[in-house]
Amino acid sequence: MAATIKDVAKMANVAPSTVSRVIANSSRISEKTKERVREAMNELGYHPNFNARSLANKSTKTIGIIMPNSAKIAFQNPFFPEVIRGISMKAYQEGYGLYLSTGQTEDEILQEVKNMVYGGRVDGILLLYSRINDKIMPFLIEEGFPFVLIGRPYKIDEDRVTFVNNDNFKAAKTVTEYLLLLGHERIGFIGGHLDYVVTIDHMKGYEQALTNVNIPIREEFIVHHEEVKEGGQNAIIELMSLVNRPTALVVSDDIMTFGVLRMLADMGVQVPHDMSIVSFNNVMISELSSPPMSTVDIHIYDLGFEATDCLINKIHHPTSGERKIIIPHRFIKRQTCNKQEERV
Amino acid sequence: MAATIKDVAKMANVAPSTVSRVIANSSRISEKTKERVREAMNELGYHPNFNARSLANKSTKTIGIIMPNSAKIAFQNPFFPEVIRGISMKAYQEGYGLYLSTGQTEDEILQEVKNMVYGGRVDGILLLYSRINDKIMPFLIEEGFPFVLIGRPYKIDEDRVTFVNNDNFKAAKTVTEYLLLLGHERIGFIGGHLDYVVTIDHMKGYEQALTNVNIPIREEFIVHHEEVKEGGQNAIIELMSLVNRPTALVVSDDIMTFGVLRMLADMGVQVPHDMSIVSFNNVMISELSSPPMSTVDIHIYDLGFEATDCLINKIHHPTSGERKIIIPHRFIKRQTCNKQEERV
DNA sequence: CTGAAAGCGCTTACAG
DNA sequence: CTGAAAGCGCTTACAG
């Protein structure tokens, strides 16, 4: 049906191998024949067959993107589209395509990854999340397959994986200190599932800030929920039911904060007057909350962009060492934090 | 490196063709040899090479997803992640993979589509948007390549394309009538770029509702912006600067409505007391606006799911006719609409 | 500077 | 029920 390299060769009166070399723009072919071949290609509307090329080349020029149980959780949070934006931009620049994981459970995803790797469907993989006891990363390490993690590996394997991350510990410590300096002493923490390394880092930063000023860590002030939307709302119910409520909150994710703000408004609790809040991510919509939320911009787009850069590097230079990149964060002060007055 | 069909054949003492048939689970192979071959496959950790299979098969088992200039606009709006969720689910069920467009300009995207089609990179394509004067769809029609449109084709080509859409005209008409029935007479419309068919349909529905009750359409009440976030905010400035301001608004997109609500709050305009608003999409975060927005749930997930179903059908039965599917919508009343009192 | 040939790892008529 | 052979459309040593 479609024109092949043979058709072009015939029309240009050369061998198929020559056509192939013209496509690759080999310097060993004369300008004259290049011209002739190119004309034939245009004439026939020739386009190289991707699968044939991949098979012969053992290179697909495509990157696999692995999200945590894709449909259910991941795409509910604007973090993922935004990180994919960054990935997409860099991938396009470098002529790489994007292949998306679709599995729901971890086992399904692992199976997909195996198919990608063994089947030669992608040249490298981007892991968009970091979870403890995850099976995907160990598999990739074991296989020596090029991949880059967005986030950081938990404890072990630190030196065996390239990753792009924020300093989430420090960011959480800083915003907690900020609340402390505003006079808050009863500060709660709302985070995602403790399986996620980012949650752990946020929590540790929060705890460290409290410990540094000798404020004991109160278990009941720390709540975790997996679902970002309902999670924020449920967390608030728990926290506001305490006899001794917190006056300020560190929330691990902006979408959770939307839930928190919504629920607080329903309860008639004024933010920031009655409750101060700092959050993380600064996704596109964060500035549109009511009131606009103070949050840590983690430069999600850059995470994706840099990770893709690293990955493509690894694909091209498999033996180059592992890299650890920290994308700087920036605290964006908006209107969800207040000085806490002394009022017994 | 990786085990091939030949290695398996050797180990199981059969011909490569037999191994291939075992993979395809051909009924012409005896259970005995199937068992033997499968053992060998396990032993060797065999996984079929994807590119070889695609080349021989002329089928890739992957679907191309085309978004409007991917990075910049598309992923800013939760519509796209949500529709991809639906796509992802159905694709996974049917054993299809997802390949994402990454180009930024229309020309770049068209080039990508050509590569996908001519290069045999995907078996079918999902167009996630419908824009007038778009070059992608005509190309796909011309080539007779399997694709499904989410949205509807504008005027021409109605009968030559399979599409999955909402009745956006009717939905817009209904919500406008709702505002009318609440006593509003000065109703504004904020929409996306008029290139998008969905914007046109919303606007026509809005206008029809007004015309039906003999309210003249006022140009200055209709504003369009492409950017969802800034768009909503800019639109409000324009509308509130009018001498005779609207008392109610039909807004084409929930994220725009977030911008509208934010800006209105800054201006001290009370919603719904001073301004009623209805919106479209009901994305995940819509219920978390302040106040929670009344919006039309268009079942985005279903759009993606059904479109994928249609596409896979088309891939399997290329000659079956074109289908037009309308996903039902549902108006979700929350707290952004009020009865309009008579007050000169 | 160019060509003939082998090979990438599968599938699928064809033959038996 | 199974095998030998040709073919999918490229690339790339090897030779000249």
Side-chain angles (χ1 to χ4, degrees), chain B residues 267-280:
Chain B
M267 293 175 173
V269 177
Q270 300 269 354
V271 175
H273 185 268
D274 303 325
M275 180 73 81
S276 289
I277 300 176
V278 291
S279 176
F280 293 89

Side-chain angles (χ1 to χ4, degrees), chain A residues 110-180:
Chain A
L110 181 59
Q111 193 52 51
E112 281 189 282
V113 171
K114 284 185 179 174
N115 288 338
M116 290 188 199
V117 171
Y118 293 137
R121 202 164 189 166
V122 300
D123 293 346
I125 280 181
L126 246 23
L127 266 182
L128 299 200
Y129 66 98
S130 176
R131 185 154 49 188
I132 61 179
N133 297 325
D134 176 66
K135 297 179 200 158
I136 315 287
M137 210 169 65
F139 167 77
L140 259 10
I141 293 174
E142 172 94 11
E143 291 295 323
F145 195 77
F147 79 98
V148 170
L149 173 68
I150 292 184
R152 71 169 180 89
Y154 192 63
K155 281 184 183 158
I156 48 167
D157 299 325
E158 274 263 344
D159 299 329
R160 297 164 73 192
V161 352
T162 287
F163 61 89
V164 179
N165 198 16
N166 303 107
D167 191 340
N168 292 311
F169 171 85
K170 187 166 168 208
K173 182 161 160 287
T174 302
V175 296
T176 308
E177 287 166 345
Y178 173 70
L179 291 172
L180 253 8

Side-chain angles (χ1 to χ4, degrees), chain A residues 5 17 20-21 46 49 52-53 56:
Chain A
I5 218 173
S17 45
S20 175
R21 288 190 187 102
Y46 170 79
N49 178 294
R53 172 176 275 196

Side-chain angles (χ1 to χ4, degrees), chain A residues 38 125 228 233:
Chain A
R38 282 186 186 128
I125 280 181
V228 281
Q233 308 193 62

Side-chain angles (χ1 to χ4, degrees), chain A residues 24-193:
Chain A
N25 201 16
S26 158
S27 58
R28 289 157 48 197
I29 304 289
S30 73
E31 273 311 317
K32 254 189 195 165
T33 55
K34 272 187 187 172
E35 211 35 65
R36 197 146 42 88
V37 170
R38 282 186 186 128
E39 263 172 34
M41 296 197 319
N42 283 334
E43 189 82 19
L44 294 168
Y46 170 79
H47 279 254
N49 178 294
F50 204 78
N51 301 116
R53 172 176 275 196
S54 295
L55 181 58
N57 265 341
K58 294 178 168 326
S59 144
T60 61
K61 280 283 194 174
T62 114
I63 291 172
I65 296 183
I66 311 299
M67 295 176 292
N69 41 9
S70 326
K72 267 220 298 275
I73 306 296
F75 269 147
Q76 300 267 39
N77 195 320
F79 174 87
F80 290 96
E82 178 68 4
V83 80
I84 291 178
R85 269 187 65 212
I87 294 168
S88 180
M89 180 61 86
K90 185 66 187 174
Y92 184 81
Q93 287 175 6
E94 304 288 332
Y96 276 77
L98 262 26
Y99 187 83
L100 230 55
S101 74
T102 56
Q104 300 308 307
T105 69
E106 192 181 353
D107 285 339
E108 286 175 0
I109 295 175
L110 181 59
Q111 193 52 51
E112 281 189 282
V113 171
K114 284 185 179 174
N115 288 338
M116 290 188 199
V117 171
Y118 293 137
R121 202 164 189 166
V122 300
D123 293 346
I125 280 181
L126 246 23
L127 266 182
L128 299 200
Y129 66 98
S130 176
R131 185 154 49 188
I132 61 179
N133 297 325
D134 176 66
K135 297 179 200 158
I136 315 287
M137 210 169 65
F139 167 77
L140 259 10
I141 293 174
E142 172 94 11
E143 291 295 323
F145 195 77
F147 79 98
V148 170
L149 173 68
I150 292 184
R152 71 169 180 89
Y154 192 63
K155 281 184 183 158
I156 48 167
D157 299 325
E158 274 263 344
D159 299 329
R160 297 164 73 192
V161 352
T162 287
F163 61 89
V164 179
N165 198 16
N166 303 107
D167 191 340
N168 292 311
F169 171 85
K170 187 166 168 208
K173 182 161 160 287
T174 302
V175 296
T176 308
E177 287 166 345
Y178 173 70
L179 291 172
L180 253 8
L181 290 170
L182 289 180
H184 294 277
E185 299 194 333
R186 299 202 305 280
I187 304 175
F189 176 87
I190 302 179
H193 201 290

Side-chain angles (χ1 to χ4, degrees), chain A residues 92, chain B residues 69-70 72 102-110 112:
Chain A
Y92 184 81
Chain B
N69 41 10
S70 328
K72 269 220 296 278
T102 56
Q104 299 309 306
T105 68
E106 193 182 352
D107 285 338
E108 285 175 1
I109 295 174
L110 180 59
E112 281 189 283

Side-chain angles (χ1 to χ4, degrees), chain A residues 318-336:
Chain A
T319 55
S320 69
E322 307 298 342
R323 300 172 61 191
K324 294 125 185 43
I325 293 188
I326 300 296
I327 301 290
H329 59 263
R330 197 161 70 89
F331 182 44
I332 312 266
K333 259 170 58 183
R334 287 198 277 247
Q335 304 167 29
T336 48

